Amino acid sequence: MSAVLEIEGLRKTYKSRRRGVRNALDGFDMRVEAGQVHGFLGPNGSGKTTTLRTLLGLIQPDGGRMAILGHEVPGALPTVAGQVGAIVESPQFFPHFSARDTLSLLAGAGDVPAVRVDEVLELVGLRDRAGERVKTYSLGMKQRLAVASALLKNPKLLILDEPANGLDPGGIREMRTLMRTLAESGMTVVLSSHILGEIQLICDEVTIISLGRRVAAGPVEQVLAQHSHGGVRVRLDAAEDLAAAAELLGRAGVAVTRHPDHLMLAGVDKPATVSRLLAEQHLYVSELAPVAVDLESVFLEITATAPVPGQHRQVDQSAKIGEPGHAGTTGGWGA
Amino acid sequence: MSLYVTELRRLAKRRLTRVMLVLLVLGLTGIVTAFAFSSHKLSPAVIAQAQAESDANFRDAVKDWERSIADCDAAKARGEQTEDRYGPNCGRDWKPTPEMFDPKWNLPYQFDFRAEFGVFIAVFAGAVALFAFLIGASFVGAEWSTGGMMNLLLWRPKRLTVLGTKLAAVLTTLTGVTVVLGALWTLAFWLIASNRGTTEKVTSGVWQSAGISGLRAWGLILAVGAVAFALASLGRHTAMALGVAVGVGVVSEIGIRIAMTIAGVRFGDRWVLSTYALAWFEKKWTLVDYRSCELVQGECTPKEMLVTWQDSALVFGIGTAVVMVAAFWMMRRRDIT
Ligand SMILES: Nc1ncnc2c1ncn2[C@@H]1O[C@H](COP(=O)(O)OP(=O)(O)O)[C@@H](O)[C@H]1O
Ligand SMILES: [Mg+2]
């Protein structure tokens, strides 16, 4: 497998006279293999859009290197642009043109045959409304138009910044199917989203960004496994033995949380050791289940953006890699 | 090439372009129509009538003169003082002459193509320049403010090419509009001149001079369009160009004029833009410093300063170039967010 997208040590500092400097990207790395659907996750303001804008040559980086399809960008952008379709942060369209006019003008500017316009309109479900002015579209319809514009070139790499924005549940599901189909046909899709259930369902790999740095990356299962913390749920045959079991496991150095009818353990490498330990004291387990974590809780944990009761988290309060002890981490067990 | 054609299409599809073009055509048609009605051909009958009118006026004047002498004599006979009222010798020396009643004054206005078409070239240039400003500014300004420019740059990540192609599309369109409407404008005034005015002495030299004025008009229109385009691109909004235009207009035409007058600067008008616009069309414009005569006794010719169309070309050329370079320079470097 070859990398379709490589980013190393990307830096971007926004300078403004009034608000001073802001390190939007602080040595960010990312790698996307060919044929994947790659999820790009991060809290608001973590630098996702900045990354994509920089990658597409809209803003100039202050450091680092980027390559698309093996070509160094932004230098080689004119060469690779024909193979990259992108939408960046709910794109705007000229409000008085119809969807068909908008796409046909883009097709004209990019040497794309005119028949492709109707193909993509069909693909995103705008066929019957294509003659209406974009001004009259709902948010979701504009989003569909944006995806259509990105698909126009039949790109090798499709970059979508929050494409599910404003879509109805049906639209989200359609988008998911569309993305899978595209990936199966060999297209590589990079997809930033907040809807983590979606990402978990359709992505092969994810990159998680927080405060301009990568905090996790890899295949979805791997990221989940790395952050499951050896969580194990234990039930005993006899519920009245739970106290004894908790004490025993506590002495053995396992972090235990007591619940009325079960125990939650953390930091367990091999669940088998738990059952042996308990069996030696004649406590028999009826259930010993590694706790499955979902992407959402992993996300909240590693970006440290899980809500804390009684606090109002501000947008820039999230995990900073390289600083020990992620403030505000609450774990977050998936049930 | 495909980008260029696309930008031409985009410009033609825009509602503002269409509405403004319609308004421009309506405005120009209005001027032509009003003007056609105010001009009257000097046919022999019209001339004869004017002659008759001035003859009658002359006869009336002679009659008045004779009556006034008679009144004066009568008053004198009564021993009254008459000098004040009737002048010396009862005004006998002031006999009206036929030359005083030139039939010309009784003629209606007749449009003279040779003498007057030049002014109408300037009027045309002014109207189309306004159109050029709005089109030039809004074409790129609206693209910036609606995000269309960003979309286009995702497609064509060559910023200078994209901006340059858009500019080329605007200038081509303006040229097309200028040529077509200019031809119609000339034709209209030619028809007015032939039917309700005069085309006397319109030699090939006259056409040549009109042609050169047309070229000047075209140049001004393109410059205005390009400056508006560049300003709107710099400010990423149509309003930016409009704002700068109003600002420059107020500062130059009112602010500088007042400041120069208060400061007593000689030839203060040479710092005012409209002076150069006038010189551009009139080929030269003379500024007169009347105050140079204030302390002079007797005859005095006020000092003059000549502004030539070459000066105008320099001023407008440099101004346009500076704004264009700034726009393209910004385009190359700026972050598009
Ligand atoms: N044009 C800009 N000027 C200054 N700061 C900006 C600009 N664009 C984004 N930022 C800041 O950069 C950080 C990253 O923003 P962004 O990449 O848009 O985040 P997101 O991950 O939500 O897409 C944020 O803190 C944001 O405020
Ligand atoms: Mg964003």
Side-chain angles (χ1 to χ4, degrees), chain B residues 255-292:
Chain B
I256 293 187
R257 276 226 169 96
I258 292 174
M260 292 293 163
T261 313
I262 291 173
V265 177
R266 284 177 196 284
F267 303 119
D269 275 6
R270 88 168 109 160
W271 305 107
V272 176
L273 272 180
S274 56
T275 303
Y276 292 90
L278 287 167
W280 180 246
F281 281 111
E282 300 286 325
K283 298 183 188 67
K284 53 179 184 282
W285 189 254
T286 313
L287 300 179
V288 185
D289 181 20
Y290 291 105
R291 285 183 312 139
S292 63

Side-chain angles (χ1 to χ4, degrees), chain A residues 68 82 125 141 155 161 177 201 240 248-249 261 274 288 292 296 328:
Chain A
I68 294 177
M141 288 165 73
D161 194 6
T177 319
L201 277 174
E240 55 275 15
L248 178 67
L249 290 168
D261 61 338
V274 173
L288 184 69
E296 183 168 292

Side-chain angles (χ1 to χ4, degrees), chain B residues 216 276 279-280 307-320:
Chain B
R216 284 177 211 283
Y276 292 90
W280 180 246
V307 179
T308 63
W309 68 268
Q310 286 96 332
D311 296 333
S312 304
L314 202 67
V315 168
F316 291 145
I318 291 178
T320 309

Side-chain angles (χ1 to χ4, degrees), chain A residues 43-44 300 303-308 311-319:
Chain A
N44 296 137
L300 291 175
T303 61
T305 53
V308 178
Q311 281 184 24
H312 299 282
R313 190 182 62 85
Q314 303 302 305
V315 281
D316 283 333
Q317 265 176 279
S318 68

